[in-house]
Amino acid sequence: MDSEHQDQTGPVDEARARELTEQLRAAIEDVRAAVLVLARRVRAAHQAKVWTVLEYPSWSAYALAEFGIGRSTAYRLLDLAAVAEAIEDTVQTELGVSHAWDSTDLVLPVRAVVDLKGRSAELTDLIADRLADAHQDVGGAVLPVGTVGGIVAAAVAEVRARPDVPAAELETGPAPDGITAEAWRRHVSVGRDALTQQRAAQLGIGALALEVVPAYVSDRQAEDSGLARLANDIGITTAEILACRRYAISGDVRAMDGW
């Protein structure tokens, strides 16, 4: 039996450990390459409207009949293709090559696609800024493929880690007259960062309020138990410190509505 397919039931020696590690590395590289190929082929098939040519009523019906893929997965594949295309277009614009991120450690599993859905502009702005900085740092020389891939992977991880501020809280809308769309997206991104810092500060105030008055005490009792004085000392209203306290108790940012 091929050693690659043998079940391992216990510790191995160093040689076998290195062999297994190399097999795993090769498998991961295969997955990375497959994700990129999949994204491009999904995009090509959807742009060509192949389901209409093959007389299916919709993209999801085509995916189910031809590949046994359900509706949600079919549309997540389109999301994957959109994210991959946005990255590829950004690298092409900044560096003049589109393939330079293919060797990245980036893999876009379903979870990543869900996290990045609707955030392509935020992601590509970050990638463009980082690529421009890196290109300038090397005096305009060609960036190594690994550097480009690392920038893309780091940007994906960073955007996924950021809270996704609902549009209702931070409306992007069209850029005002005289401001480019790219500049406006950067402005909005700064606003998101500021809002994130504000939420962190509010949560910190809420935690401080809970040290003064425990969570089981009602708002009315809390106000009479020293929170009004604490609010005055830190320069906010009693209503605001009570909202921060509710936010710290519930973890629900809606407690801060009206701040």
Side-chain angles (χ1 to χ4, degrees):
M1 181 182 295
D2 188 339
S3 62
E4 183 176 345
H5 298 95
Q6 290 177 357
D7 291 335
Q8 180 61 50
T9 58
V12 297
D13 58 24
E14 181 178 350
R16 177 60 176 155
R18 292 191 181 281
E19 181 185 2
L20 290 170
T21 299
E22 288 306 313
Q23 290 173 1
L24 178 58
R25 180 177 291 110
I28 291 173
E29 289 173 355
D30 288 344
V31 170
R32 290 173 186 155
V35 166
L36 294 170
V37 171
L38 176 62
R40 289 170 181 152
R41 291 182 180 172
V42 166
R43 185 169 71 239
H46 192 263
Q47 289 176 341
K49 298 185 183 299
V50 293
W51 68 92
T52 61
V53 178
L54 298 178
E55 299 184 345
Y56 290 104
S58 65
W59 166 259
S60 58
Y62 159 76
L64 180 61
E66 295 289 340
F67 314 115
I69 294 173
R71 177 184 175 84
S72 61
T73 301
Y75 284 101
R76 280 174 180 166
L77 285 175
L78 292 180
D79 294 335
L80 169 63
V83 172
E85 181 177 23
I87 294 172
E88 191 167 17
D89 288 348
T90 301
V91 174
Q92 174 73 43
T93 299
E94 292 297 321
L95 303 179
V97 291
S98 61
H99 65 278
W101 70 287
D102 288 8
S103 296
T104 178
D105 288 342
L106 173 66
V107 176
L108 291 174
V110 170
R111 182 67 257 172
V113 173
V114 171
D115 292 345
L116 294 169
K117 186 175 182 179
R119 306 180 72 180
S120 292
E122 183 181 356
L123 174 64
T124 54
D125 278 349
L126 182 59
I127 291 172
D129 286 344
R130 299 279 172 81
L131 288 175
D133 290 344
H135 204 211
Q136 184 175 5
D137 289 344
V138 298
V142 176
L143 291 175
V145 171
T147 299
V148 177
I151 289 171
V152 172
V156 169
E158 183 173 329
V159 172
R160 289 186 69 197
R162 292 176 181 174
D164 187 10
V165 180
E169 292 189 30
L170 189 64
E171 179 60 50
T172 57
D177 292 341
I179 301 178
T180 66
E182 291 77 10
W184 183 240
R185 284 199 296 269
R186 290 189 178 92
H187 177 77
V188 170
S189 181
V190 170
R192 283 197 178 98
D193 290 341
L195 184 57
T196 299
Q197 294 172 9
Q198 180 187 38
R199 294 306 190 210
Q202 291 164 340
L203 198 57
I205 292 172
L208 177 61
L210 287 174
E211 290 183 13
V212 176
V213 183
Y216 63 81
V217 178
S218 69
D219 275 6
R220 182 178 295 277
Q221 291 174 316
E223 185 177 349
D224 297 335
S225 300
L227 280 193
R229 179 177 177 179
L230 175 61
N232 183 68
D233 288 345
I234 62 179
I236 63 175
T237 67
T238 302
E240 287 170 341
I241 200 169
L242 287 172
C244 290
R245 181 172 174 269
R246 289 192 295 273
Y247 182 21
I249 292 171
S250 66
D252 191 333
V253 73
R254 289 175 295 182
M256 299 309 307
D257 287 350
W259 172 284

